[in-house]
């Protein structure tokens, strides 16, 4: 009798727990699918719109009815985007490494949004090169990437934030799965870790003002950032600036082996469907309850994010097995 009662109690607890989990999932999906209204009255500023994620996002937001303000690095990028969209999308030339350029874009944006404020700021502009072994880098190699991916994001956000605060809108920062797992040397991983940290700090500091801060963590996608030709060109440049002693420690064949591994990785896991990333960006701008983090791509969900929760020694071993071994390694 006692055993039967214990069994019944266990079944009841399991049933109650199952119902609670089911209700939680249903409520989460319901909240996750709620969208804002009056999209036609909202302005969104996007950086890095010449190509890739930024270019596609602007076209999709334009179709949704947003008043899109696109920051492009080049006149050609701006002209191409305007030809592909409607009259509600406007462009400006923006170099996020230039304080003067940011200030000029800010004054232009103030005139465009008026008293409504800025609903969304999407910090998408970025660069990846040079990437390679840390020992091959010079300070200027780190700085060239950090200026765009880290300082550019921070300066854009701090300058445009009063407009976002007025609209009780969103700041959407594009980080990377390499802001979770430092898989190579150079400024890219460092800058993306910084974007993650800056976004977390900002979100916690302003949570009482009704402004949401969202982080997009794309996996590997086929964009200019992952194009093999410039990656290999930069690797050759880095190799050629090394001293004979450093080259000798790696061995004559190390560069070729390193490039072959880069080709294998990019050709194997790079996804051509950029909409997987822009879908996340759109949700961050349209959802009533946007998520704090968005992981885009199968490799992000199945490889990089799980790997980021592993002990550091596991990640070290995994990368050691993948990368070529130097000639004079211990």
């Amino acid at each position: 009798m006692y055993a039967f009662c214990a069994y019944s109690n266990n079944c009841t607890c399991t049933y109650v727990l199952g119902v609670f989990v089911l209700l939680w999932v249903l409520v989460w999906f319901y909240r996750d699918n709620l969208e804002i209204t009056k999209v036609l009255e909202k302005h969104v500023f996007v950086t890095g719109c010449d190509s890739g994620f930024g270019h596609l996002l602007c076209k999709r937001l334009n179709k949704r009815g947003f008043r899109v303000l696109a920051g492009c690095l080049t006149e050609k990028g701006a002209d191409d985007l305007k030809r592909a969209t409607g009259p509600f999308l406007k462009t400006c030339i923006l170099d996020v490494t230039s304080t003067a350029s940011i200030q000029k874009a800010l004054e232009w944006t103030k005139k465009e949004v008026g008293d409504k404020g800025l609903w969304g700021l999407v910090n998408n502009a970025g660069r990846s090169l040079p990437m390679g072994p840390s020992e091959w880098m010079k300070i200027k190699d780190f700085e060239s990437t950090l200026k765009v991916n880290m300082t550019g994001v921070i300066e854009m956000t701090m300058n445009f934030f009063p407009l976002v605060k007025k609209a009780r809108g969103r700041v959407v920062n594009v980080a990377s799965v390499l802001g979770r797992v430092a898989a190579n040397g150079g400024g890219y991983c460092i800058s993306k870790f910084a974007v993650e940290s800056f976004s977390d700090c900002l979100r916690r500091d302003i949570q009482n003002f009704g402004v949401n801060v969202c982080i997009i963590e794309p996996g590997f996608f086929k964009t200019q950032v992952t194009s093999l030709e410039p990656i290999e060109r930069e690797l050759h440049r880095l190799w050629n600036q090394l001293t004979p002693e450093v080259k000798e420690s790696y061995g004559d064949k190390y560069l070729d082996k390193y490039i072959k591994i880069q080709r294998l990785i990019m050709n194997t896991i790079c996804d051509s469907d950029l909409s997987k990333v822009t879908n996340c960006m759109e949700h961050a701008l349209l959802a009533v309850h946007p998520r704090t983090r968005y992981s885009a791509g199968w490799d992000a969900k199945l490889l990089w994010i799980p790997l980021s929760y592993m002990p550091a020694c596991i990640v070290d071993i995994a990368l050691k097995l993948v990368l070529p071994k130097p000639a004079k390694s211990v």
Side-chain angles (χ1 to χ4, degrees):
M1 184 66 178
Y2 175 79
F4 176 76
C5 290
Y7 174 77
S8 298
N9 288 335
N10 287 336
C11 288
T12 302
C13 289
T14 302
Y15 175 77
V16 170
L17 180 61
V19 170
F20 174 80
V21 171
L22 178 61
L23 288 174
W24 185 87
V25 170
L26 291 174
V27 169
W28 185 88
F29 272 106
Y30 173 75
R31 281 170 52 87
D32 195 57
N33 285 283
L34 291 175
E35 293 191 349
I36 61 171
T37 57
K38 301 180 180 179
V39 170
L40 295 175
E41 301 175 8
K42 299 186 185 301
H43 290 80
V44 177
F45 192 104
V46 186
T47 69
C49 303
D50 297 70
S51 62
F53 303 137
H55 187 88
L56 179 59
L57 176 64
C58 286
K59 292 195 290 186
R60 294 182 61 141
L61 293 179
N62 182 68
K63 286 183 180 179
R64 288 271 195 168
F66 278 104
R67 303 298 177 110
V68 182
L69 308 175
C72 298
L73 183 61
T74 65
E75 292 284 357
K76 181 181 183 304
D79 291 340
D80 290 345
L81 185 57
K82 282 188 285 189
R83 281 197 295 269
T85 54
F88 292 131
L89 183 143
K90 297 183 179 181
T91 63
C92 72
I93 301 302
L94 173 65
D95 178 0
V96 298
T97 67
S98 166
T99 298
S101 181
I102 291 174
Q103 288 297 323
K104 187 176 180 180
L106 176 61
E107 294 304 316
W108 173 74
T109 302
K110 286 179 178 178
K111 294 176 182 177
E112 292 293 332
V113 303
D115 295 331
K116 297 176 183 177
L118 183 64
W119 174 253
L121 171 64
V122 182
N123 284 308
N124 167 74
R127 63 174 290 164
S128 61
L129 300 177
M131 287 193 294
S134 296
E135 188 182 11
W136 297 11
M137 304 286 166
K138 293 183 178 180
I139 292 299
K140 65 180 182 180
D141 294 319
F142 289 99
E143 289 176 341
S144 61
T145 303
L146 294 173
K147 273 186 177 181
V148 178
N149 297 359
M150 184 185 73
T151 309
V153 169
I154 294 172
E155 190 168 359
M156 279 294 300
T157 303
M158 301 313 293
N159 278 279
F160 280 72
F161 183 73
L163 296 178
V164 179
K165 186 177 179 182
K166 181 182 288 187
R168 297 170 67 88
R170 282 91 194 270
V171 177
V172 181
N173 290 332
V174 179
S176 168
V177 290
L178 296 184
R180 293 286 201 105
V181 179
N184 51 46
Y188 189 77
C189 291
I190 298 170
S191 67
K192 293 306 182 180
F193 269 83
V195 170
E196 296 268 355
S197 178
F198 170 67
S199 301
D200 284 339
C201 292
L202 181 66
R203 184 183 67 255
R204 290 158 186 159
D205 290 339
I206 64 172
Q207 57 187 331
N208 292 320
F209 294 105
V211 177
N212 294 105
V213 180
C214 305
I215 305 170
I216 312 296
E217 300 172 334
F220 283 39
F221 286 84
K222 289 183 179 179
T223 65
Q224 289 185 357
V225 170
T226 56
S227 178
L228 281 170
E229 184 180 345
I231 289 175
E232 293 178 16
R233 184 170 62 246
E234 280 296 293
L235 283 170
H236 278 285
R237 181 186 68 81
L238 293 171
W239 177 261
N240 291 333
Q241 73 182 13
L242 296 178
T243 64
E245 292 78 15
V246 175
K247 285 184 179 179
E248 185 183 357
S249 68
Y250 283 90
D252 294 337
K253 297 181 180 179
Y254 188 87
L255 177 61
D256 291 336
K257 291 178 181 178
Y258 194 93
I259 288 175
K260 285 180 181 178
I261 290 170
Q262 291 293 319
R263 288 175 183 170
L264 177 63
I265 292 172
M266 295 301 181
N267 290 329
T268 302
I269 67 176
C270 275
D271 195 332
S272 59
D273 185 7
L274 305 189
S275 66
K276 291 177 182 176
V277 178
T278 56
N279 286 342
C280 296
M281 296 173 172
E282 285 184 67
H283 187 275
L285 294 165
L286 280 162
V288 174
H289 306 286
R291 305 171 200 169
T292 300
R293 279 177 167 79
Y294 294 83
S295 299
W298 69 266
D299 61 316
K301 293 180 173 65
L302 301 180
L303 175 62
W304 300 108
I305 300 302
L307 195 61
S308 70
Y309 291 103
M310 295 287 182
C313 62
I314 301 296
V315 182
D316 293 348
I317 292 170
L319 291 175
K320 188 175 182 179
L321 293 173
V322 171
L323 295 173
K325 192 174 181 180
K328 291 188 177 181
S329 59
V330 178

